Amino acid sequence: MNAPHAVIKQGRKWDQVLDGARTVFMRDGFEGASVDDIVREAGVSKATLYSYFPDKRLLFIEVAKMECQAQSDAAVAQLEGSDDVRDVLTTAAKRMTKFFMSDVGLQVHRIIVGESQRFPEIGREFFESGPARVHAILRKFLQKSVDAGELNIDDIDLAADQFPELCKAGLHLKMVLGLREPPSEAEIDRVIEGAVDMFLCKYGA
Amino acid sequence: MNAPHAVIKQGRKWDQVLDGARTVFMRDGFEGASVDDIVREAGVSKATLYSYFPDKRLLFIEVAKMECQAQSDAAVAQLEGSDDVRDVLTTAAKRMTKFFMSDVGLQVHRIIVGESQRFPEIGREFFESGPARVHAILRKFLQKSVDAGELNIDDIDLAADQFPELCKAGLHLKMVLGLREPPSEAEIDRVIEGAVDMFLCKYGA
DNA sequence: AAAAAACTGAACTGGTCAGTTTATATTTCT
DNA sequence: AGAAATATAAACTGACCAGTTCAGTTTTTT
């Protein structure tokens, strides 16, 4: 069995190229990043890069995909470990907020929003691998809790949309626009507690 | 009294330039817009444009300022006309949501977020003339209602941050990324009612 | 009507950048 | 070791674009 382990021929320096591209795109955005910067960062020749990717746009899309994937893996996981609804929601809120406010999360958000006109598929990729997964997992948990009689929700999709929104309250937009320092633990806790309180006030059984 | 009515000499075609720039920037973004496109759209010579604005960046900032101003004027007004808290909140929510979902509102949001790294002052300008004004007006109304014993809020700033966030639930991001049709009246009403319900559930006296 | 101010059009500069080419070198496979 | 695949460096092309310049025209002011 010495069959090639991938149909797509990727060459020895595939990872280097992607790493370099990730660094430069995340630092400078799509327009701001020049291909020469990327090859310098990657320690690779321009010809090599272009032997992997036919153009800058497709390289960017590949990087964006990877970043979205990594993002959602880190931020989203099954909601388990406690039987108390408030605990579970608080944990979920902390995870989400942590990612929303991270440098990577903010920068991905900025770039995706800014380029979503130019590259519609990137917007979809981002949404599916991030917000949509959060929604799905939250939805599942809420449904389970409703079935168990612990929550009382008529429109579960709406509720699963509201909760993440509450976790951003006031902080996220300011951070995206670079208008404030990262929030302290205390500030985050205040927002999260406010979110959970409000959510349970409305939907608690 | 034939004194010039403005200290800054603006020339006859000032408005033409700004209108053309507004059209092209809002259509193509900052990088996507070429100065030649703008002068063509404005029906003005390049030399004229550069006699008003020293460079493309400052022209863009001027346009962004105007757009933010127009935005907040349209979306934000005193919250009056009814004594019923629910009515007032519902009206406010409708106005906000209408703007959030409008073509102009979405495009301004995309461009500002995308360019906020390159032009930090634009982010601030946008925030002050938009979200911050909404926050201030909402805050004032909430305080008044608390004083009148109609609401019961311990952290008014948090509450004033939560409400607009609830009004976006699920819709805004999808629209920004171009992932769905504009919501129907029914969908908007559903989100708004959900927002007001949840808000009053938590803070109603 | 004369003078002053504003505008025009078109060519030009200098710089950047995506993507290509080529001749050469290194790595990997057999 | 020899062949085949992969990578390199560097120069090059073609296009785009911000910003300048200037000789000449139109509009406004006096």
Side-chain angles (χ1 to χ4, degrees):
Chain A
M1 274 210 308
N2 63 354
H5 45 59
V7 173
I8 299 167
K9 197 92 203 38
Q10 291 186 342
R12 312 201 298 277
K13 310 219 165 172
W14 177 269
D15 290 346
Q16 272 180 29
V17 171
L18 276 183
D19 282 356
R22 203 186 98 256
T23 301
V24 178
F25 278 136
M26 289 302 129
R27 188 183 63 214
D28 301 335
F30 178 76
E31 286 289 348
S34 86
V35 176
D36 289 291
D37 285 348
I38 292 173
V39 300
R40 203 174 309 123
E41 176 73 30
V44 140
S45 78
K46 216 171 172 180
T48 298
L49 185 150
Y50 277 104
S51 79
Y52 294 155
F53 296 96
D55 60 31
K56 186 187 178 187
R57 191 175 143 275
L58 286 175
L59 173 57
F60 178 67
I61 288 176
E62 190 63 33
V63 169
K65 272 188 193 174
M66 280 185 47
E67 214 58 35
C68 292
Q69 203 60 40
Q71 163 200 156
S72 61
D73 285 349
V76 181
Q78 292 306 314
L79 297 175
E80 283 161 12
S82 169
D83 287 343
D84 183 46
V85 175
R86 174 176 292 267
D87 281 355
V88 174
L89 287 177
T90 302
T91 302
K94 272 188 176 137
R95 269 195 219 144
M96 274 190 286
T97 309
K98 182 165 179 163
F99 180 74
F100 287 154
M101 305 298 164
S102 71
D103 284 346
V104 172
L106 290 167
Q107 189 61 8
V108 168
H109 183 95
R110 287 182 199 110
I111 295 179
I112 300 288
V113 169
E115 303 297 338
S116 61
Q117 299 294 284
R118 207 187 308 254
F119 309 134
E121 65 265 53
I122 281 185
R124 181 164 298 279
E125 197 82 39
F126 166 74
F127 190 83
E128 296 300 336
S129 73
R133 285 179 66 182
V134 172
H135 181 94
I137 288 176
L138 205 48
R139 191 185 198 297
K140 190 175 151 199
F141 169 75
L142 295 178
Q143 184 66 61
K144 199 190 73 183
S145 302
V146 168
D147 292 345
E150 291 161 338
L151 290 177
N152 181 17
I153 307 176
D154 54 340
D155 187 338
I156 292 189
D157 276 318
L158 177 61
D161 281 338
Q162 286 170 327
F163 188 65
E165 220 73 66
L166 282 173
C167 293
K168 296 182 190 168
L171 296 177
H172 187 241
L173 184 59
K174 268 188 185 164
M175 289 296 288
V176 166
L177 299 178
L179 299 180
R180 56 160 295 160
E181 312 298 301
S184 66
E185 287 292 323
E187 282 177 291
I188 291 180
D189 287 347
R190 168 178 151 266
V191 169
I192 287 177
E193 201 192 321
V196 174
D197 274 0
M198 186 179 268
F199 194 83
L200 287 181
C201 178
K202 169 71 171 134
Y203 296 126
Chain B
M1 280 214 303
N2 64 353
H5 46 57
V7 173
I8 300 167
K9 196 87 202 46
Q10 290 187 341
R12 313 198 299 276
K13 310 218 164 171
W14 177 268
D15 290 346
Q16 264 173 264
V17 171
L18 278 183
D19 282 355
R22 202 187 98 258
T23 300
V24 178
F25 278 135
M26 288 302 127
R27 188 184 61 215
D28 300 334
F30 177 76
E31 287 289 350
S34 85
V35 176
D36 289 291
D37 285 348
I38 292 172
V39 300
R40 203 174 309 123
E41 176 74 30
V44 141
S45 79
K46 217 171 171 180
T48 299
L49 184 150
Y50 277 103
S51 78
Y52 295 154
F53 296 95
D55 60 30
K56 186 188 178 186
R57 194 175 142 274
L58 287 174
L59 172 58
F60 179 66
I61 288 175
E62 189 64 32
V63 168
K65 273 188 194 175
M66 281 184 47
E67 215 58 36
C68 292
Q69 203 62 37
Q71 162 200 157
S72 62
D73 286 349
V76 183
Q78 293 305 317
L79 296 175
E80 282 161 12
S82 170
D83 287 341
D84 182 46
V85 174
R86 177 175 289 268
D87 280 357
V88 174
L89 287 177
T90 302
T91 303
K94 272 189 176 138
R95 268 195 220 142
M96 276 189 286
T97 308
K98 182 164 177 164
F99 180 73
F100 287 154
M101 304 299 161
S102 71
D103 284 347
V104 173
L106 291 168
Q107 189 60 8
V108 168
H109 184 95
R110 287 182 200 112
I111 296 179
I112 300 288
V113 169
E115 302 298 336
S116 61
Q117 300 295 285
R118 206 187 308 257
F119 309 134
E121 66 264 54
I122 281 186
R124 183 165 297 279
E125 196 84 40
F126 165 74
F127 189 83
E128 296 299 337
S129 74
R133 286 179 66 183
V134 171
H135 181 94
I137 288 177
L138 205 48
R139 191 185 199 297
K140 190 175 149 198
F141 169 74
L142 295 179
Q143 184 65 62
K144 200 190 73 183
S145 302
V146 168
D147 292 344
E150 293 161 336
L151 291 177
N152 182 18
I153 306 176
D154 54 339
D155 187 339
I156 292 190
D157 276 319
L158 177 61
D161 281 338
Q162 287 171 325
F163 188 66
E165 221 73 65
L166 282 174
C167 292
K168 295 180 190 168
L171 297 177
H172 187 240
L173 184 59
K174 269 189 186 164
M175 289 296 288
V176 166
L177 299 178
L179 299 181
R180 55 160 296 159
E181 312 299 300
S184 66
E185 286 293 322
E187 282 176 291
I188 293 180
D189 287 347
R190 167 177 150 267
V191 170
I192 288 177
E193 202 191 320
V196 175
D197 274 0
M198 186 179 270
F199 193 83
L200 288 180
C201 177
K202 170 72 171 133
Y203 296 126

